[in-house]
Amino acid sequence: MSCILFPSPIFGPIHSRRLGLSLGVNLLPPSAKVCSFDCVYCECGLNAKNETKPKLPTREEVKTALEKKLAALLSKNMIPDVITFAGNGEPTSHPKFLEIISDTIELRDKYVPNAKISVLSNSTFVNRPSVMEALQLVDNPIMKLDTVNEDFIHLVDRPNAKYDVEEIIRCLENFKGDVIVQTMFLKGSVDGKEINNTTDEYVQPWLKVLDQIKPREVMIYTIDRETPLKTLKKASPQELDRIKDILESKGYKTLVAY
């Protein structure tokens, strides 16, 4: 199994399928993935089995590194479209996430005022008041909701702590529509069980929940790089287009990454 791990705390800029020229912020260690999910499709591989708690970059380290990088990019007239919190795990798990977001807004406004700030999150900590406050400050809170079927979530996304999809949905409703929902569609098998969340068995309940959340945009995508499990398959362009057509018929702005 190969995987992609990102430097910490700053990486890129890289060209994102969904966001354009993206300067990445990784609030997790550079040496291994550490996440509240252990998704079988994650390009960063599976969670590290650490006996000791890995060291996270400090708020001060993130701010210093980000300012240095932004100044260097500006000197080269290489302006990122977006500053994206992603990397080797769940960014909102950092204990100083709110403060780091505040620092990032300050530096964005100083160096690249037209750049957006995005957060790619699996939504597991959205019930924390400080995390919700931070997410409501950024331009693009991009929140994962692969399905509303808890059996699928536990088989494929594999949360490593208590996960209540109904609570997640209620929290996403609290954005009052100013949120982007992202959903991974894929097929194949996991632990000998067939999976395929492109079918109506999964899509229709997911659509009903979107009508509750009322996101301003929906991002649907499929596997792009090598995954930890070899038994997974991409959703086809036809399957993604079918879902896109349904979303657009319901009035949702939809972005598809094939």
Side-chain angles (χ1 to χ4, degrees), residues 1-114:
M1 178 196 75
S2 66
C3 61
I4 299 171
L5 291 174
F6 297 94
S8 178
I10 308 299
F11 62 93
I14 60 176
H15 286 279
S16 164
R17 288 189 295 167
R18 292 173 286 169
L19 301 172
L21 187 63
S22 172
L23 180 62
V25 182
N26 175 24
L27 300 184
L28 285 304
S31 57
K33 180 187 151 198
V34 181
C35 191
S36 52
F37 273 1
D38 202 14
C39 298
V40 297
Y41 59 75
C42 182
E43 67 183 23
C44 295
L46 300 178
N47 282 340
K49 306 304 179 186
N50 292 299
E51 294 182 2
T52 59
K53 190 172 182 180
K55 181 180 179 294
L56 305 178
T58 66
R59 173 188 180 181
E60 293 73 21
E61 288 170 341
V62 175
K63 185 174 183 180
T64 298
L66 180 58
E67 182 161 25
K68 181 179 179 181
K69 187 67 173 183
L70 287 173
L73 291 175
L74 191 60
S75 71
K76 300 174 184 177
N77 199 31
M78 184 183 289
I79 309 301
D81 297 308
V82 62
I83 300 169
T84 306
F85 285 78
N88 303 335
E90 174 53 34
T92 67
S93 65
H94 196 290
K96 295 293 183 180
F97 181 67
L98 173 58
E99 292 84 353
I100 290 170
I101 288 294
S102 297
D103 293 340
T104 302
I105 292 170
E106 174 190 332
L107 294 175
R108 184 273 310 271
D109 292 348
K110 178 180 179 181
Y111 290 98
V112 288
N114 292 326

Side-chain angles (χ1 to χ4, degrees), residues 147-233:
T147 178
V148 296
N149 182 302
E150 289 220 26
D151 289 338
F152 185 98
I153 292 167
H154 284 281
L155 184 65
V156 175
D157 293 334
R158 302 198 302 181
N160 54 34
K162 181 179 179 293
Y163 183 89
D164 183 344
V165 69
E166 294 298 330
E167 182 182 24
I168 298 296
I169 293 165
R170 288 193 297 271
C171 290
L172 295 181
E173 288 181 70
N174 289 336
F175 280 94
K176 306 299 183 186
D178 192 16
V179 66
I180 299 169
V181 169
Q182 63 164 343
T183 300
M184 163 68 80
F185 287 100
L186 74 168
K187 302 179 292 186
S189 64
V190 179
D191 297 338
K193 298 179 181 179
E194 292 298 314
I195 61 164
N196 183 354
N197 66 333
T198 71
T199 65
D200 279 340
E201 176 187 356
Y202 294 94
V203 171
Q204 291 302 323
W206 172 77
L207 288 168
K208 289 180 181 178
V209 165
L210 290 183
D211 288 341
Q212 295 173 229
I213 299 169
K214 297 179 173 60
R216 59 179 162 92
E217 185 174 353
V218 182
M219 293 180 172
I220 62 175
Y221 64 121
T222 191
I223 297 166
D224 184 45
R225 299 184 178 94
E226 189 172 354
T227 61
L229 264 65
K230 305 301 183 187
T231 53
L232 303 178
K233 300 176 183 177

